[in-house]
C-alpha cells in the first residue's frame, strides 16, 4: 500500500517531474542491495520469532515514519528547507521499511515454510505456491485499496489510514507468529552443519548487527553465493527482474505514450496478475507430474516465447512506419501480461531448489544475495559466516 501511495504523494509534492519517484525507487532497491547480506546473516543467527518480530517492527515503523514525514511535507510546501528534509526522511524511512519487508519475507515465507516441509517436496511446492499466491493477490488488492481511499477520502486521509494500519498490525502479526511457533515445536530450533575447522559459536559470541555491515562481509557473502552449484539458475532469476519488460511504471508510461488509454492499461495489468496467480495453481501439479527442474525449464521457456512474441513486432514497428504499430502495442502488452505465468513458475522452481540444495549454515546469505528468500534451519546455533568460510 505504501509503495503505491508514496509514488503518488511524490508526484503530488513535485508535479511535472518523476525525479523524486525515481529517487524513492532507487533508495528502496539500494537499501536491499547494501543491507541484504547483513539481514540474511542476522536472521541466520537469531531465534526465529525474535528475527521475524524485529523485521516486522522495522517494516511497520519505517512506513509509519515515512507517512508522517509525507504528511509534514504536504503541510510545508512553502518552507523550502523543512520541505526538503521531510522529503528526504520520507524516502529514507521508506527504504528502511523495504529492508524490513525483505527480512520479514525471508524469515516467514521462506525459512518457516521450508523448515516444516523440507523433507516433503510435494508439500513444500504446494505451500510455496500458496504463499506466492497470497503475495500476488496482495499486490493486486493493495494499490486498489490505496487508490480507493485516495479518490474518495483524499490524500491525507489515505496516509492516516496507512499509518493506523501499520501501527495496529504489528501486535497481531507477532501474536500469530508466536502462536504458530507454540503449535509447531520444530520452529523453535535451528541446526548448523558441523564445520571441520571450527566449533559452534553461541549467539552471545556473535558480533552485533551493525558490525556486520562492511565491505568484507559483503564480499564473503558473494563468495558463498558463487560457491553454490545452483548459482547459475539463481543468478538468471535475479537478472529476470533487471528489465523494463514488465508492466511496471516505465512500461506503463511507454504504452500510454504509444496511445493506450489508462483504462486499457489497467486491464492488461490485471491480466498479468491473473496469469501470475494461475502459475501458483499449476506449479504443484506440474511439480508432481514432470519434476521440479523440468517445471522450471518449462516456465523460463514459456516466458521467453511470450517476450519474443511481444517485443519483436513492437521493435519492428519503430523501424518501419508501414507496420500496424497499434496492433504491435496491444501485442506487446498482451505478451508481457502472459509472460508472468512463466516468470513466477520459474521463480517458484528456483526458490524450491535453493531450499533443498543450500547448506543450512549458508541459507540466509545465499538467498538474500539472489534477492529472494531464506530457507530452513535446524536445531543448533550456527557459527559466524567468516568462521565457516
Amino acid at each position: 500500500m505504501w509503495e503505491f501511495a508514496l509514488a503518488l504523494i511524490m508526484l503530488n509534492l513535485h508535479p511535472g517531474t518523476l525525479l523524486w519517484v525515481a529517487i524513492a525507487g532507487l533508495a528502496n532497491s539500494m537499501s536491499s542491495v547494501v543491507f541484504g547480506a547483513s539481514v540474511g546473516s542476522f536472521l541466520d543467527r537469531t531465534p526465529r520469532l525474535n528475527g521475524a518480530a524485529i523485521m516486522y517492527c522495522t517494516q511497520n515503523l519505517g512506513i509509519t515514519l515515512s507517512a508522517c514525514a509525507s504528511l509534514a511535507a504536504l503541510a510545508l510546501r512553502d518552507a523550502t528547507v523543512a520541505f526538503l528534509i521531510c522529503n528526504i526522511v520520507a524516502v529514507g524511512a521508506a527504504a528502511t521499511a523495504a529492508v524490513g519487508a525483505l527480512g520479514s519475507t525471508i524469515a516467514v515465507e521462506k525459512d518457516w515454510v521450508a523448515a516444516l516441509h523440507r523433507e516433503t517436496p510435494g508439500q513444500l511446492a504446494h505451500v510455496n505456491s500458496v504463499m506466492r499466491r497470497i503475495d500476488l493477490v496482495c499486490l493486486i488488492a493493495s494499490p486498489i485499496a490505496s487508490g480507493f481511499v485516495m479518490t474518495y477520502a483524499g490524500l491525507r486521509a489515505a496516509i492516516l489510514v496507512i499509518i493506523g494500519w501499520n501501527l495496529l498490525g504489528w501486535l497481531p502479526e507477532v501474536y500469530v507468529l508466536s502462536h504458530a511457533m507454540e503449535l509447531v515445536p520444530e520452529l523453535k530450533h535451528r541446526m548448523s552443519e558441523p564445520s571441520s575447522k571450527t566449533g559452534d559459536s553461541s549467539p552471545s559470541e556473535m558480533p552485533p548487527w551493525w558490525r556486520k555491515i562492511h565491505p568484507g562481509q559483503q564480499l564473503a557473502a558473494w563468495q558463498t553465493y558463487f560457491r553454490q552449484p545452483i548459482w547459475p539458475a539463481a543468478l538468471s532469476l535475479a537478472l529476470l527482474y533487471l528489465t523494463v519488460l514488465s508492466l511496471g511504471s516505465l512500461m506503463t508510461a511507454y504504452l500510454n505514450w504509444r496511445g493506450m488509454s489508462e483504462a486499457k492499461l489497467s486491464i492488461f495489468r490485471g491480466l498479468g496478475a491473473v496469469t501470475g496467480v494461475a502459475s501458483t495453481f499449476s506449479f504443484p501439479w506440474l511439480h508432481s507430474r514432470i519434476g521440479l527442474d523440468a517445471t522450471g525449464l518449462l516456465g523460463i521457456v514459456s516466458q521467453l516465447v511470450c517476450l519474443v512474441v511481444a517485443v519483436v513486432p513492437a521493435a519492428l514497428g519503430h523501424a518501419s512506419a508501414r507496420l500496424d504499430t497499434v496492433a504491435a502495442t496491444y501485442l506487446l502488452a498482451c505478451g508481457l501480461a502472459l509472460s508472468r505465468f512463466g516468470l513466477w513458475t520459474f521463480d517458484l522452481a528456483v526458490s524450491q531448489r535453493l531450499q533443498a540444495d543450500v547448506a543450512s549454515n549458508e541459507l540466509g546469505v545465499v538467498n538474500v544475495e539472489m534477492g529472494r528468500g531464506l530457507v530452513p534451519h535446524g536445531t543448533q546455533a550456527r557459527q559466524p559466516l567468516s568462521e565457516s568460510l
Side-chain angles (χ1 to χ4, degrees), residues 86 125 135 185 322 333:
C86 289
D135 281 343
R322 294 174 295 177

Side-chain angles (χ1 to χ4, degrees), residues 74-100:
L74 288 171
L76 297 171
R77 292 178 183 269
D78 298 331
T80 306
V81 176
F83 177 69
L84 178 61
I85 292 174
C86 289
N87 278 267
I88 294 173
V89 171
V91 171
T96 302
V99 175

